[in-house]
Amino acid sequence: GAMPRYVEGTHRAFERLAGRDGKVLIAGFGSLLSERSSRHTFPELEDFRGGRVRGWRRVFAHVAPVFMERGIADMATGEVSSLSCEEHRWDSELVVSLFRVPCSPEAMDAFVEREHEFRFAAVPAFELCGKRRVDQPAILCTRWSDDEYRRERCAGEEEFHRRYGRHGVDRVWRDDILPCRVYLRHCVLAARSLGPEAHRSFLDSTFLGDRSTTIRQYLAADPGIMDELPPPSLANRYCG
């Protein structure tokens, strides 16, 4: 298949992807599969619906500082991972959410701040039913490498330390960690809320860092994850 089009995390780069009405299309693949969760993050979103992207798979393969700040990362067990998309076979398909948000400098700066560790890709998106191609590319948060992240997104070592180093994290993108339990449950509930096809896609097209264990297999081996309630202060944030 064609190489993905990667874009810089700047307002100017996102602006080129905006429609005539000045809005960009976002593809959600984890917690943003939930309309409720997406509206919490993007209060001005419109046209929320299911869709598809092709040539990607989901992987739990990076450390998220927000889980440490919120006290839901288990450093002892390595259950600290968040979720990204990475290039995969051209015939692989993910069910995602699609929604549009205003491409203002403030909104895009906030988006990059929240999704700081990702490489952004502009990808063709398709409607869930009928498979029609959407007339604007979707922005997808994809896997990066530590070298590129430090070089291209962080303004020097101080910024890396502020975001990661102070939590004792020296490597962000890694394959030897497991999903953060509370976050994984949140994503499964989010997928379920979008419908049976999204739920199935999440279970079967999302992998651990080993790239072979699916989330369906992982939950079958450790079903207690779905009973792992977030701390009361985060109950509204991590319930799908």
Side-chain angles (χ1 to χ4, degrees), residues 15-75:
E15 216 172 21
R16 294 193 196 104
L17 306 174
R20 278 197 292 273
D21 60 0
K23 296 195 169 77
V24 288
L25 183 67
I26 306 265
F29 53 85
S31 58
L32 298 179
L33 293 167
S34 152
E35 182 167 5
R36 200 191 67 85
S37 193
S38 297
R39 284 193 185 281
H40 182 98
T41 307
F42 296 97
E44 317 86 51
L45 72 77
E46 310 184 338
D47 298 335
F48 184 94
R49 63 200 190 276
R52 301 170 195 279
V53 295
R54 296 179 185 153
W56 300 87
R57 66 179 168 191
R58 283 176 275 242
V59 287
F60 279 96
H62 76 281
V63 182
V66 67
F67 298 159
M68 296 172 192
E69 286 157 14
R70 292 176 174 167
I72 57 172
D74 189 334
M75 304 298 275

Side-chain angles (χ1 to χ4, degrees), residues 181-182 185 223-230 238:
R181 294 172 78 85
V182 166
R185 173 179 175 269
I225 289 171
M226 292 309 293
D227 304 321
E228 193 86 10
L229 297 179
Y238 286 93

Side-chain angles (χ1 to χ4, degrees), residues 117-176:
E117 67 271 29
F118 296 99
R119 190 178 185 191
F120 301 107
V123 305
F126 301 84
E127 300 294 354
L128 192 56
C129 303
K131 312 249 180 148
R132 188 177 63 79
R133 186 167 166 171
V134 180
D135 57 11
Q136 94 185 86
I139 299 169
L140 189 69
C141 291
T142 76
R143 186 168 72 94
W144 221 354
S145 69
D146 277 61
D147 286 349
E148 291 166 309
Y149 170 62
R150 285 176 184 246
R151 189 173 64 240
E152 294 178 36
R153 185 68 47 79
C154 289
E157 277 305 304
E158 301 74 35
E159 183 172 15
F160 187 87
H161 180 80
R162 174 170 65 81
R163 293 179 181 278
Y164 285 96
R166 66 190 177 91
H167 296 292
V169 174
D170 58 345
R171 279 171 49 230
V172 178
W173 293 97
R174 50 196 304 166
D175 303 336
D176 58 348

Side-chain angles (χ1 to χ4, degrees), residues 169-237:
V169 174
D170 58 345
R171 279 171 49 230
V172 178
W173 293 97
R174 50 196 304 166
D175 303 336
D176 58 348
I177 52 178
L178 294 168
C180 168
R181 294 172 78 85
V182 166
Y183 176 72
L184 172 54
R185 173 179 175 269
H186 177 42
C187 290
V188 173
L189 295 174
R192 199 184 286 166
S193 76
L194 190 55
E197 212 173 347
H199 187 212
R200 197 161 54 240
S201 170
F202 191 85
L203 295 176
D204 295 326
S205 302
T206 308
F207 295 85
L208 299 188
D210 64 10
R211 306 305 195 276
S212 65
T213 308
T214 65
I215 290 304
R216 187 185 294 277
Q217 292 165 334
Y218 187 62
L219 290 175
D222 189 353
I225 289 171
M226 292 309 293
D227 304 321
E228 193 86 10
L229 297 179
S233 63
L234 296 172
N236 276 343
R237 193 76 193 83

